[in-house]
Amino acid sequence: MAFKMSTQKVTGTINVVEIGTGDKAIKLGGEQVLPFYSFDGETGNAPVVGAEISDIQPEEWIDCYSKIYGDVWADPAKWAKYVEDNTEADFICLRLNGANPDGADKTPEECAEVAKAVADAITLPLVVAGCGNAEKDGKVFDKVSAALEGKNILVLSAVEDNYKAVGAAAGMAYGQKVAAESAVDINLAKQMNVLLTQLGVQQENIVMNVGCSAVGYGYEYVASTMDRVRLAGFNQNDKALQIPIITPVSFEVGHVKEAIAPEADVPEWGDNEARTIGMEVSTAASVIIGGANAVILRHPESIKTIKGLVSALA
């Protein structure tokens, strides 16, 4: 008897969200099956990989990055252009660390000027992340969204404390895409999506940031949350969870000791550049297999490796 492949049919499809403009624009989502299950159905758009840069020189990044980016990272626009020309990144994530009230405390207007300079310097799609202070980020994202109107950027992220300001400005007034951020919980993820859509942001303009941790740091919670989110979207046809996922891996890996501790402190662990690449790659591979449609990384070698993995599996 001839072998007949058994397939699992689902009722839901992940929305397609486009970021950027022109030939370099990227599309997230569109899948009807679990990641890379091409034998079951339509896998949608392949996952994409972004490179993180900062509006200020990141003193906390390990020494290897000064060798890679030291000639350009004093100027975010030049840094972005260097990344576009010298790495395999599909998009660039500008993290506005300088807005932090406990740090440089740049004004929203200053942040918008930097974001516009970066956007004008590149043809790749742009994701703009804040400093992590919800109140300040709300003000910053308003000015950035206005300055970059027509660029079709993704604002990362709207949280419970600022989603009204971010959603109204980025997602409605200026036509940008909005990432709904939650803390590794399916119910919180769904709630943020519902809050944004009730505010008036079209679901086709929303991406989820469901949270992340570096592998070894409670990653099993991330894995189970992503599985539940995707299965609810597919099998239960839950419209509120049929939204692409972006995962800022580098934000997490960049501060765990296994990735950044100097070799002089833990010689038995070896070179921290190799370790940070390993942590980025293993975490990014895990979230992509779990359902992430986009990941953000720092090291060019990490980007290259994950791009190769996606190419081999897609």
Side-chain angles (χ1 to χ4, degrees):
M1 180 182 296
F3 172 74
K4 184 177 180 180
M5 172 71 80
S6 174
T7 60
Q8 180 179 354
K9 299 299 182 182
V10 299
T11 56
T13 302
I14 305 304
N15 295 337
V16 175
V17 177
E18 185 169 354
I19 304 168
T21 60
D23 295 340
K24 297 292 183 67
I26 55 176
K27 292 182 178 181
L28 309 182
E31 65 267 34
Q32 298 175 326
V33 293
L34 292 172
F36 308 109
Y37 276 40
S38 57
F39 45 80
D40 271 349
E42 177 57 51
T43 57
N45 296 289
V48 293
V49 185
E52 178 190 351
I53 67 170
S54 176
D55 64 325
I56 57 175
Q57 183 173 322
E59 296 180 357
E60 75 278 9
W61 289 23
I62 62 176
D63 290 346
C64 69
Y65 291 111
S66 65
K67 299 174 184 176
I68 301 170
Y69 297 128
D71 292 339
V72 294
W73 66 4
D75 184 330
K78 290 181 179 179
W79 188 357
K81 183 60 176 172
Y82 179 89
V83 168
E84 178 174 83
D85 292 342
N86 295 279
T87 78
E88 298 183 24
D90 298 303
F91 65 93
I92 289 173
C93 175
L94 170 63
R95 196 173 182 187
L96 296 171
N97 294 303
N100 193 331
D102 295 325
D105 197 20
K106 288 186 177 182
T107 67
E109 290 78 12
E110 289 175 310
C111 293
E113 289 180 10
V114 172
K116 189 175 188 308
V118 168
D120 290 343
I122 59 176
T123 58
L124 289 177
L126 182 63
V127 173
V128 178
C131 65
N133 179 289
E135 182 179 358
K136 184 67 175 287
D137 283 347
K139 297 174 182 177
V140 167
F141 290 150
D142 183 0
K143 297 299 183 182
V144 168
S145 296
L148 273 62
E149 188 172 12
K151 294 288 189 179
N152 195 27
I153 67 168
L154 172 66
V155 170
L156 183 77
S157 297
V159 297
E160 187 173 4
D161 290 338
N162 68 11
Y163 78 91
K164 290 182 180 179
V166 176
M172 296 167 65
Y174 302 112
Q176 314 290 12
K177 302 301 190 292
V178 181
E181 181 177 348
S182 54
V184 195
D185 182 285
I186 184 173
N187 296 313
L188 295 177
K190 182 173 180 176
Q191 177 185 353
M192 280 304 307
N193 297 338
V194 170
L195 288 173
L196 283 171
T197 53
Q198 288 180 341
L199 183 67
V201 181
Q202 295 297 310
Q203 190 165 338
E204 292 73 20
N205 293 331
I206 300 173
V207 174
M208 289 190 289
N209 171 12
V210 301
C212 184
S213 69
V215 289
Y217 281 81
Y219 183 81
E220 62 272 17
Y221 294 102
V222 179
S224 62
T225 297
M226 296 182 78
D227 282 345
R228 293 178 66 198
V229 166
R230 278 294 171 252
L231 291 173
F234 292 140
N235 298 336
Q236 300 171 28
N237 201 21
D238 190 331
K239 302 294 185 183
L241 292 172
Q242 291 172 351
I243 293 176
I245 295 172
I246 185 169
T247 306
V249 170
S250 59
F251 294 12
E252 298 297 322
V253 170
H255 62 73
V256 299
K257 62 182 180 180
E258 287 81 0
I260 67 174
E263 184 177 3
D265 294 346
V266 279
E268 67 274 18
W269 288 2
D271 175 52
N272 64 358
E273 181 174 15
R275 283 188 271 117
T276 202
I277 293 170
M279 289 288 283
E280 281 201 323
V281 167
S282 54
T283 304
S286 299
V287 296
I288 285 175
I289 295 299
N293 302 93
V295 294
I296 299 168
L297 304 173
R298 283 182 189 169
H299 201 288
E301 193 62 32
S302 304
I303 295 169
K304 179 180 178 180
T305 301
I306 294 299
K307 288 279 290 182
L309 173 68
V310 170
S311 179
L313 293 177

